[in-house]
Amino acid sequence: MPRPYAAPGAPPAAAVSGHRYSHRVEVEEDRVLEGVLIAESLRVGVELAGVPLRVTKIARVEVEGAAAGQPQRWTLLDFTGEEADAEPLAERLAACLDPTGGWYVNYNTAAEAFVVFPGEVFRYPRGQDPRGRAEGRRRAQDHARSLGIPEAQLDWRD
C-alpha cells in the first residue's frame, strides 16, 4: 500500500491540514526481501559484505535431526534488505556458505523465492505462476537432497 510522502521542506501534513500547502504525493512502499540466515552456515574466515541487510531478529535454537556436519544448536538471523539487492546477495551468499554440512539460505522478494547453496543459486516465481513455482522448488529440493540435506530441512517458505 502506498504511504504518504510530503514534499521536501513541507511541514508535516497535520500542521497544514486544510491549508493549500498540504502538497502530498503517493509513493510505493519500499520493496524488500526477507529471509533467515543460519550463522553457523557461513565458512570460517569469510565476510558477507557489500549488500546492506537489516537484522530483525536473532534466535538460538536446538535442532532435531541435524545433518552430518551440522551442530545441534543454530543461531538464526532474520533479515530484510532491498529487493534490488536480491541478486547480488545471492551471489555473495553462494560464495560464503560452507560447502560441508548441507547448508542453504532462503529469502523471498514479493515476486521471487531465492534458495542459495554453496556455489549454486535457485530462484523461482512466487504465487503468480504455480507451475513455475512448483518446478523451481522441486529443482532446489532435488539439489538439496544431492547435498545430503535432510527432508525435514527442506521446509523453506516461498
Side-chain angles (χ1 to χ4, degrees):
M1 165 166 256
R3 62 181 155 91
Y5 171 77
V16 294
S17 180
H19 189 275
R20 67 175 180 79
Y21 190 68
S22 64
H23 175 72
R24 294 164 55 118
V25 295
E26 298 292 317
V27 295
E28 288 187 39
E29 277 296 315
D30 295 332
R31 296 189 182 267
V32 298
L33 59 87
E34 297 179 311
V36 178
L37 171 66
I38 300 169
E40 291 77 9
S41 69
L42 298 175
R43 286 192 338 261
V44 173
V46 301
E47 281 186 13
L48 177 60
V51 177
L53 298 174
R54 180 175 174 258
V55 175
T56 58
K57 183 171 82 173
I58 301 173
R60 288 280 288 165
V61 297
E62 188 132 342
V63 179
E64 291 184 28
Q70 291 179 342
Q72 291 298 118
R73 293 187 180 112
W74 295 354
T75 308
L76 306 178
L77 305 167
D78 288 30
F79 64 88
T80 62
E82 294 295 322
E83 184 175 318
D85 291 329
E87 194 168 325
L89 176 60
E91 293 167 5
R92 284 174 176 82
L93 284 168
C96 289
L97 291 174
D98 193 336
T100 60
W103 297 108
Y104 71 87
V105 177
N106 164 241
Y107 59 90
N108 299 310
T109 67
E112 287 185 286
F114 286 76
V115 186
V116 182
F117 299 92
E120 188 80 34
V121 176
F122 292 83
R123 57 195 289 186
Y124 54 88
R126 298 178 70 208
Q128 74 279 15
D129 180 4
R131 222 181 269 164
R133 177 177 166 254
E135 175 61 19
R137 184 178 182 89
R138 185 197 57 74
R139 287 181 44 246
Q141 287 176 326
D142 287 349
H143 184 73
R145 289 180 190 104
S146 78
L147 299 176
I149 298 174
E151 285 296 317
Q153 292 180 23
L154 305 182
D155 61 348
W156 61 79
R157 227 175 31 105
D158 56 13

